[in-house]
Amino acid sequence: MQHLMRRLLTLAMAAALILGMASPDDRVNADGVNENLIWNGGFEAYKEGWEDWGATTVVEDGASHMRALQIGLGDAGSEGGMAWYIEAKPNDTFKIGGWGKASAGEVGILGIKSLGDNGPIAGGAKELHYTASDYEYREISFTAVPGTTAIMVYLYKNPGPGYVFFDDIAAYPTTPGDPNQPPQEEAVYIHNHAYLPEDWFYLPQTDSQIREYVNQLKQYYIEYQFANIGFLREDGTLDPNQSKELGHWIKVSRETDPDQKIIAWINADTVRHVHVGTEERPAGEEDKQAMHQRIIQSVKNAVDIGFLYDGRYYKVDGIQFDIEPLRAKWRDDPELLTLLQGIRQAVGPDVHLSIAGPAWDIVWSNDYITQLANIMDMLNPMIYDTNGPDSWKPTVTQTAEEYEELWKNTALRYSNAIAASSNPDCQFSPIMPAYETKGYLETDPDAPEYGEFVIYHDPSIENIYHAARGLKQAIAEGADVYGSGIFWWGTFIMTEPDPRDHQDYSHAREWWLTEWVNNSTSSNPPTPTEINS
């Protein structure tokens, strides 16, 4: 799909001007009632009003009327579709849906994209997928993102020998304040965080680029920006080259949306920076204290001094730590606790401190989580990379049901442990996965999987859909959840399939808004075919 789509989208706006678009004046009839902006969504006028991308035929196989659109020519390489363009402006809202079906092995795609002056806008896309052999109806809500001048509603099929069919495609405006709009889903879980790409904070960015990124974060209800400023150096100090653009980012981000908090995300190595030395040759107590003091001072400088841009220093709102690896052999690590206590004492009580942690209680016990909650403002368990073979049991998930259960149990465990602390303000905000398939070739001859490729992150199991469902189960059973997070934002916002595993992250974005933020139910549950389409 990506090759044809790229080629077509470069012509999208020009085509829209040639073909004409539904006007805002056409949105209501004489009685003031919203009308379908895709007036030929049933193909009774054949292809009139649609931009034809090829491999399309109007046939007499409609869901409710005589005619429907068929995409596919019966040969293995046939891909194609059609597009309809509608005038729009930022924050316009629509309800878009239709009927579809597909022959075995095919996926019918009903998609929506925000278009700007330079074509498709990052983060402004949603899709519905159809795989059933009988017609089924699906719909989705869509909000035009900043910079939108039009939206494109498209019907599509990837290369394959089969066919997909569409009928009664509709787009209704539901702009807020319109008394004729259907009830809108309201955002429920809005206190969320995202792990942002490190190159945003050391490579030059324009003000407009930063504003676009910040507005996109706002669109997905991100409250905390975890700005990746890299790994601590071997001596425990921060590398200033990793944060050359952070001051610029802070300035423009606060001008764009002052409600988003900017947290410097610092990565560190458990052995080198916490235990100090190597496992074979651990450092003495004096060297360990010296390392910890350098780390503490580096964090304090980042918080107290800030980051320089255009002759002025800009301060972050706090620090997020990702200190790995986390292992059962270092269960309830006292040295990590000592380091974090030193950092808290140095920066004071008002600076946000948070830390990414493990899901399994063989690494952090409930009592240890309680001790951490007395120091930190937020705890962020990484509930992913839990897939694996039978030999890893019981610390492994192999089905979606097991993964949801892990989410529920982990949320309840952390929530109860935090409640037992003396810090009632410590927030619990677990991290949902949105990244490529992960695995490795087992080279240990003593391992049962020797010579096999072991997958420890399968996105058809570990994904936002199942994570959100498990987290909502925990909330229903009494878990106190402040929000949730996304790892990793760089892949979450990808508009093209991931070249590493062909994963389509439009699903992750839809699940995030529907299943989590809106506390609703997605009509597009995950399947391996759809995720890796």
Side-chain angles (χ1 to χ4, degrees):
M1 174 181 179
Q2 59 268 35
H3 305 298
L4 180 60
M5 285 291 284
R6 273 197 297 267
R7 180 161 48 87
L8 291 167
L9 288 173
T10 58
L11 304 173
M13 294 308 296
L17 293 172
I18 294 170
L19 294 170
M21 293 185 285
S23 164
D25 297 334
D26 298 329
R27 291 180 174 181
V28 294
N29 64 17
D31 297 321
V33 177
N34 285 338
E35 290 189 333
N36 183 7
L37 297 178
I38 305 177
W39 61 264
N40 188 25
F43 306 100
E44 302 308 311
Y46 293 91
K47 300 180 183 180
E48 188 174 348
W50 290 90
E51 179 185 47
D52 191 350
W53 294 350
T56 62
T57 310
V58 175
V59 297
E60 297 194 3
D61 185 21
S64 62
H65 300 91
M66 288 181 58
R67 300 188 178 101
L69 179 70
Q70 171 188 289
I71 306 177
L73 302 175
D75 59 88
S78 71
E79 64 173 323
M82 299 176 77
W84 190 281
Y85 300 93
I86 300 168
E87 287 183 6
K89 62 183 183 298
N91 297 318
D92 278 354
T93 60
F94 302 88
K95 201 69 114 166
I96 297 168
W99 293 84
K101 66 177 182 177
S103 58
E106 297 288 354
V107 178
I109 301 170
L110 166 55
I112 312 100
K113 286 183 181 286
S114 276
L115 304 178
D117 293 338
N118 298 315
I121 301 173
K126 284 189 175 182
E127 287 184 352
L128 293 168
H129 288 196
Y130 299 81
T131 57
S133 58
D134 294 323
Y135 274 110
E136 57 181 344
Y137 179 79
R138 292 190 172 189
E139 71 174 18
I140 197 168
S141 297
F142 183 79
T143 301
V145 300
T148 297
T149 57
I151 65 167
M152 175 179 67
V153 179
Y154 61 91
L155 309 172
Y156 198 81
K157 184 187 84 70
N158 282 302
Y163 303 89
V164 299
F165 299 84
F166 292 99
D167 195 16
D168 294 336
I169 308 302
Y172 291 97
T174 60
T175 301
D178 186 337
N180 301 301
Q181 68 175 348
Q184 294 293 295
E185 293 178 330
E186 293 186 3
V188 176
Y189 300 119
I190 60 175
H191 301 296
N192 304 301
H193 65 276
Y195 288 83
L196 307 184
E198 61 187 86
D199 57 342
W200 289 7
F201 308 107
Y202 70 78
L203 293 179
Q205 308 276 354
T206 65
D207 287 6
S208 62
Q209 285 175 321
I210 297 173
R211 281 192 293 269
E212 182 176 347
Y213 288 140
V214 173
N215 283 324
Q216 187 178 32
L217 288 160
K218 183 177 181 179
Q219 177 191 353
Y220 289 99
Y221 295 89
I222 300 302
E223 179 181 23
Y224 288 88
Q225 307 171 7
F226 287 175
N228 188 354
I229 58 171
F231 273 84
L232 291 177
R233 293 188 288 200
E234 289 192 5
D235 65 356
T237 59
L238 289 167
D239 181 353
N241 291 319
Q242 289 292 116
S243 55
K244 289 189 294 186
E245 279 290 303
L246 182 54
H248 184 196
W249 175 280
I250 295 171
K251 176 182 182 293
V252 178
S253 178
R254 288 191 176 137
E255 292 170 350
T256 306
D257 184 8
D259 292 332
Q260 291 186 41
K261 299 175 178 64
I262 303 161
I263 311 298
W265 161 23
I266 297 174
N267 301 274
D269 182 83
T270 301
V271 175
R272 178 169 297 280
H273 298 116
V274 179
H275 302 162
V276 187
T278 65
E279 290 190 68
E280 296 78 17
R281 299 183 61 185
E285 191 61 31
E286 186 176 330
D287 289 338
K288 185 181 301 181
Q289 289 183 7
M291 172 68 79
H292 286 191
Q293 190 55 47
R294 285 193 295 272
I295 295 172
I296 292 169
Q297 190 60 50
S298 294
V299 172
K300 182 173 172 58
N301 289 344
V303 169
D304 290 350
I305 299 173
F307 298 85
L308 182 65
Y309 174 68
D310 198 21
R312 177 182 171 185
Y313 285 92
Y314 294 86
K315 295 181 180 180
V316 293
D317 296 296
I319 304 292
Q320 154 79 190
F321 296 101
D322 182 8
I323 303 175
E324 299 189 60
L326 298 164
R327 298 284 186 264
K329 63 183 177 181
W330 302 317
R331 188 174 195 253
D332 294 350
D333 192 341
E335 293 173 274
L336 174 60
L337 206 62
T338 298
L339 174 60
L340 294 175
Q341 287 170 333
I343 292 170
R344 170 57 76 194
Q345 185 176 3
V347 301
D350 299 327
V351 174
H352 170 100
L353 295 180
S354 55
I355 187 168
W360 306 110
D361 61 5
I362 64 169
V363 184
W364 286 3
S365 69
N366 294 353
D367 288 342
Y368 190 74
I369 293 171
T370 299
Q371 294 179 72
L372 286 168
N374 287 328
I375 303 169
M376 311 301 284
D377 297 292
M378 182 185 288
L379 301 182
N380 311 106
M382 302 174 284
I383 314 178
Y384 45 78
D385 292 353
T386 67
N387 300 151
D390 289 344
S391 65
W392 293 8
K393 290 181 177 179
T395 54
V396 69
T397 64
Q398 296 176 321
T399 66
E401 293 74 20
E402 290 176 350
Y403 187 60
E404 290 184 15
E405 185 75 8
L406 176 64
W407 262 85
K408 183 189 77 170
N409 293 340
T410 303
L412 288 167
R413 188 170 77 86
Y414 267 78
S415 177
N416 291 335
I418 292 170
S421 75
S422 59
N423 180 16
D425 296 327
C426 182
Q427 299 162 346
F428 170 62
S429 188
I431 312 165
M432 298 186 185
Y435 55 93
E436 75 278 11
T437 304
K438 291 286 190 179
Y440 67 94
L441 181 66
E442 181 58 79
T443 58
D444 182 355
D446 295 327
E449 297 78 32
Y450 177 62
E452 298 178 12
F453 190 80
V454 177
I455 292 177
Y456 58 83
H457 170 63
D458 179 352
S460 68
I461 296 174
E462 292 190 339
N463 53 54
I464 288 176
Y465 178 89
H466 292 304
R469 287 169 63 89
L471 187 54
K472 290 188 292 184
Q473 291 171 38
I475 293 171
E477 295 186 22
D480 185 2
V481 177
Y482 181 75
S484 189
I486 297 170
F487 183 88
W488 186 66
W489 190 256
T491 44
F492 177 82
I493 63 174
M494 287 177 65
T495 56
E496 297 288 343
D498 193 320
R500 294 161 294 193
D501 63 358
H502 309 291
Q503 188 176 167
D504 179 358
Y505 294 103
S506 66
H507 304 295
R509 294 190 291 273
E510 189 268 323
W511 296 329
W512 173 259
L513 290 174
T514 304
E515 285 285 342
W516 176 241
V517 171
N518 292 333
N519 190 27
S520 187
T521 303
S522 173
S523 62
N524 183 29
T527 66
T529 300
E530 288 196 346
I531 289 175
N532 301 106
S533 58

